[in-house]
């Protein structure tokens, strides 16, 4: 009998209006029974945060954002601050997603500043790390993960580290339908866990992301260092997300 709890995070990316988000989350909340064994979080578009928070009220579902600017405030046209997200009801924020790193040029240094700012503003950072296919083929997984973690952790106190969530998302597995096998994911998670332990923070939850589907959940969650999943595509349809949420019954 497996007792381990899963942290299941839906990353909606640039999908769903406020109205769509509200009806989806109400439907999920209605079908998640009281005392659900897992934690359920939704990273929604900025404009859907407030509606999603209202829809989730009375349930244990948590709502968060997918990005933010690192400055407290200022002349940054089109950007959004941590305080704005917090006020809208976000409790966490995804930072350093590979789409942000790759498509929007976010550097490790910038992501570090975002992690700091999120923590200072009362948001829990969900830091994403992961290697590209070239880095994997060159045997550089360990160096890449350690570099990304080390950079994000610089200057954080133990109390701040305690509030992090980390997602290992191999870049080649995101949105490609090509998932890492549970043992590949476990190997990367083992590297991250060992690194966290050096800071006395081995308890920080480590999630796997990259083409997660319901049928992989049992095997993924059976791995020692996998504490949950970050789900993109399969979190957009109610049916496939509910299957992931109900992974114990599959
Ligand atoms: P995917 O996305 O499940 O569609 O691969 C995961 C993510 O980008 O967080």
């Amino acid at each position: 009998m497996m007792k381990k709890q899963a942290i299941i995070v839906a990353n909606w990316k640039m999908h769903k209006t406020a109205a769509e988000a509200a009806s989806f989350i109400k439907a999920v909340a209605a079908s998640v029974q009281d005392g659900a064994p897992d934690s359920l979080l939704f990273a929604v578009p900025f404009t859907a945060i407030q509606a999603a928070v209202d829809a989730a009220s009375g349930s244990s579902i948590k709502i968060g954002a997918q990005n933010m600017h690192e400055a407290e405030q200022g002349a940054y046209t089109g950007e959004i601050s941590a305080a704005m997200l917090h006020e809208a009801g976000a409790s966490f924020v995804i930072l350093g997603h590979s789409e942000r790193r790759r498509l929007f040029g976010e550097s490790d240094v910038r992501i570090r500043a975002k992690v700091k700012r999120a923590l200072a503003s009362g948001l829990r950072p969900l830091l994403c790390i992961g290697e590209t296919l070239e880095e994997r083929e060159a045997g550089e997984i360990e160096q890449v993960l350690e570099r990304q973690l080390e950079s994000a952790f610089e200057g954080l106190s133990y109390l701040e580290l305690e509030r992090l969530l980390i997602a290992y998302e191999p870049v080649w597995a995101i949105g490609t339908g090509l998932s890492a096998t549970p043992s590949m994911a476990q190997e990367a998670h083992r590297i991250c866990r060992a690194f966290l332990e050096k800071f006395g923070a081995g308890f920080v939850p480590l999630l796997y992301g990259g083409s997660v589907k319901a049928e992989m959940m049992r095997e993924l969650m059976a791995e020692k260092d996998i504490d949950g999943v970050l789900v993109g595509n399969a979190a957009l349809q109610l049916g496939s997300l509910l299957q992931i949420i109900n992974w114990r019954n599959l």
Side-chain angles (χ1 to χ4, degrees), residues 112-134:
R112 175 197 307 157
K114 292 189 182 209
V115 168
K116 255 311 217 196
R117 176 67 61 197
L119 287 164
S121 308
L123 294 171
R124 208 170 167 189
L126 196 178
L127 171 70
C128 297
I129 57 170
E131 82 287 356
T132 62
L133 191 57
E134 299 74 66

Side-chain angles (χ1 to χ4, degrees), residues 50-242:
Q50 240 154 18
V53 168
D54 290 346
S57 77
S59 78
S60 56
I61 294 171
K62 299 249 183 319
I63 305 300
Q66 304 165 15
N67 180 38
M68 48 164 256
H69 196 274
E70 64 273 26
E72 191 175 1
Q73 59 183 345
Y76 301 103
T77 302
E79 291 292 329
I80 195 151
S81 75
M84 292 168 188
L85 297 178
H86 189 254
E87 186 192 60
S91 61
F92 74 98
V93 58
I94 295 179
L95 295 175
H97 190 281
S98 72
E99 285 155 14
R100 299 294 320 170
R101 293 180 191 256
R102 189 167 48 88
L103 304 172
F104 301 94
E106 289 192 13
S107 64
D108 284 338
V109 171
R110 187 130 198 233
I111 292 159
R112 175 197 307 157
K114 292 189 182 209
V115 168
K116 255 311 217 196
R117 176 67 61 197
L119 287 164
S121 308
L123 294 171
R124 208 170 167 189
L126 196 178
L127 171 70
C128 297
I129 57 170
E131 82 287 356
T132 62
L133 191 57
E134 299 74 66
E135 289 163 338
R136 172 167 284 266
E137 283 170 350
E140 292 168 358
I141 301 173
E142 188 158 354
Q143 291 98 297
V144 171
L145 297 180
E146 291 189 350
R147 187 199 75 225
Q148 291 175 340
L149 287 174
E150 186 158 23
S151 169
F153 288 4
E154 203 182 298
L156 294 189
S157 69
Y158 178 76
L159 284 177
E160 287 177 317
L161 273 179
E162 247 189 336
R163 305 204 55 235
L164 290 188
L165 294 160
I166 293 173
Y168 165 66
E169 297 204 300
V171 177
W172 47 272
I174 297 176
T176 57
L178 258 186
S179 168
T181 62
S183 61
M184 281 159 93
Q186 166 57 27
E187 175 53 16
H189 282 225
R190 186 195 59 73
I191 293 168
C192 297
R193 186 78 70 202
F195 190 81
L196 284 162
E197 274 162 2
K198 284 200 238 165
F199 294 80
F203 51 80
V204 168
L206 292 172
L207 317 181
Y208 168 76
S211 298
V212 169
K213 289 174 215 64
E215 51 274 24
M216 300 160 47
M217 284 297 289
R218 195 170 273 276
E219 270 191 87
L220 279 174
M221 290 309 300
E223 295 290 351
K224 178 169 169 281
D225 294 306
I226 300 184
D227 303 310
V229 287
L230 179 50
V231 191
N233 259 316
L236 290 173
Q237 305 298 328
L238 195 53
S240 51
L241 183 61
L242 287 178

